[in-house]
Amino acid sequence: MARKSSTPTMWEVAERAGVSQATVSLVLNNVGGSRVAEATKVRVLDAVEELGFRTNAFAKSLRSGKSGMIGFISDEVASAPFAGKLLKGSQLCAWEAGNVILSVDTFNEPELEAAAIDMMLSYRVQGVVYASMYHRVVDVPAALAGIPTVVVNAQDRAGLVSSVFPDEELGGYTATKHLIGAGHTRIGMINIQPPDSDLPAGIGRLAGYRRALSEAGIEQDPRLLRYGSGIVEDGFDLTRDLWNEGDRPTAIFAGNDRTAWGSYRALESLGLHAPDDCSIVGFDNQDTLAPYLDPGLTTVALPYEQMARRAVELLLAAETPTQNPIECSLVRRGSVASAKVPA
């Protein structure tokens, strides 16, 4: 004797509710104008819950052309400790709109990326969020040309799809203006990339630093600018280098939180302490680092969840491609103090 399937069928739902299978289908697919009585809908939904019935989503997608899924293709976002908030924001926004996220990290492997795109097309995803772990200019794969796509935490080089990315210049401006507001006029900056780099993060943050100084009427002193690579060791070495200048800075804008950590360590090695001897502002707001420095690091937060939400909204709206810079907000902690008045 064949074993009875443990998976409840639409026929069993209909039998439990005392209606036809057609009525069950109308209720589950929320067909407008079906004139199914409210009491009947309640009986059907109760039967669905009691039996644990689940619709065949793949079969439904074949009929309707809509799967209720949104693809999320990234380099290493899902496995990154802080950029993973991009995936979280996408999931939450998709869920609110009645969709789920189908996510793949490709680790920059072209073959894996091609396979991920093929899989998502076979599942008839409504569109694809193409994400990057860090802000850069990307080339959207040609295989996505026929499907709605939005780039997030990056910018589409060709401008054929919408891009959502952090407003790096405004972030650098906000960080520097905060130090100026505390009375500092000798403000050093340690950038996170060399002068010839084309990455938007360092370019934008430096431009914001310069704009804030210019707006405040503070002369830009090239001796206060250093170029690192965004690692703790560079923050350490370049802070000590700044300290060897004849007219030392009273504040430092570090291009990211790891660089700021290096600045903390450099001050300590000199018998100094932030913010008493030098105020420090970082960038990123890494939640595994910034709150736990001593004192807690004042920094500018990358808006991962806000970017992801905006990307999904644009994807579902299917609007004309646009550029969407998202504000990076200041997170105040204890690393900034008022500038000391010379004796």
Side-chain angles (χ1 to χ4, degrees), residues 194-205:
D196 58 352
S197 172
D198 62 356
L199 291 177
I203 293 173
R205 294 171 198 185

Side-chain angles (χ1 to χ4, degrees), residues 225-238:
L225 181 60
R226 297 291 185 277
Y227 295 92
S229 59
I231 61 175
V232 176
E233 290 77 10
D234 283 350
F236 180 89
D237 292 339
L238 295 175

Side-chain angles (χ1 to χ4, degrees), residues 7 22 25 34 50 75 111 168 172 175 189 196 218 227 257 287-288 291 301 313 329 338:
T7 303
S25 179
S34 62
E50 292 166 6
D75 43 15
E111 291 183 0
E168 307 283 7
M189 181 184 178
D196 58 352
I218 299 172
Y227 295 92
D257 290 350
D287 53 16
T288 57
E313 290 169 356
S329 58
S338 298

Side-chain angles (χ1 to χ4, degrees), residues 6 16 52 81 107 121 139 170 188 215 223 253 260 262 266 279-280 331:
S6 60
R16 175 70 65 94
F107 304 102
L121 292 176
D139 296 304
L170 180 57
E215 187 180 277
R223 296 174 300 170
F253 167 35
S279 291
I280 298 175
V331 180

Side-chain angles (χ1 to χ4, degrees), residues 63-92:
R63 292 193 302 271
S64 67
K66 295 182 179 180
S67 65
M69 290 188 286
I70 294 172
F72 186 97
I73 299 176
S74 62
D75 43 15
E76 299 180 59
V77 165
S79 54
F82 50 93
K85 292 180 180 178
L86 282 171
L87 180 55
K88 176 184 176 183
S90 296
Q91 288 175 327
L92 291 174

Side-chain angles (χ1 to χ4, degrees), residues 37-167:
E38 191 63 32
T40 302
K41 290 181 182 179
V42 171
R43 290 208 312 275
V44 170
L45 295 176
D46 285 346
V48 165
E49 184 175 353
E50 292 166 6
L51 293 172
F53 176 76
R54 295 291 182 270
T55 59
N56 187 328
F58 184 67
K60 184 177 179 181
S61 73
L62 291 177
R63 292 193 302 271
S64 67
K66 295 182 179 180
S67 65
M69 290 188 286
I70 294 172
F72 186 97
I73 299 176
S74 62
D75 43 15
E76 299 180 59
V77 165
S79 54
F82 50 93
K85 292 180 180 178
L86 282 171
L87 180 55
K88 176 184 176 183
S90 296
Q91 288 175 327
L92 291 174
C93 189
W95 183 253
E96 290 166 6
N99 299 285
V100 295
I101 291 288
L102 181 61
S103 170
V104 177
D105 261 6
T106 66
F107 304 102
N108 291 309
E109 294 288 342
E111 291 183 0
L112 181 54
E113 181 175 85
I117 293 172
D118 284 344
M119 176 191 68
M120 290 179 181
L121 292 176
S122 71
Y123 274 97
R124 301 192 178 198
V125 295
Q126 290 181 242
V128 169
V129 174
Y130 192 75
S132 173
M133 183 179 69
Y134 64 93
H135 188 182
R136 58 194 175 103
V137 178
V138 299
D139 296 304
V140 177
L144 290 175
I147 186 170
T149 302
V150 175
V151 168
V152 66
N153 203 32
Q155 298 179 49
D156 172 30
R157 192 185 311 275
L160 298 177
V161 302
S162 290
S163 298
V164 184
F165 48 90
D167 192 332

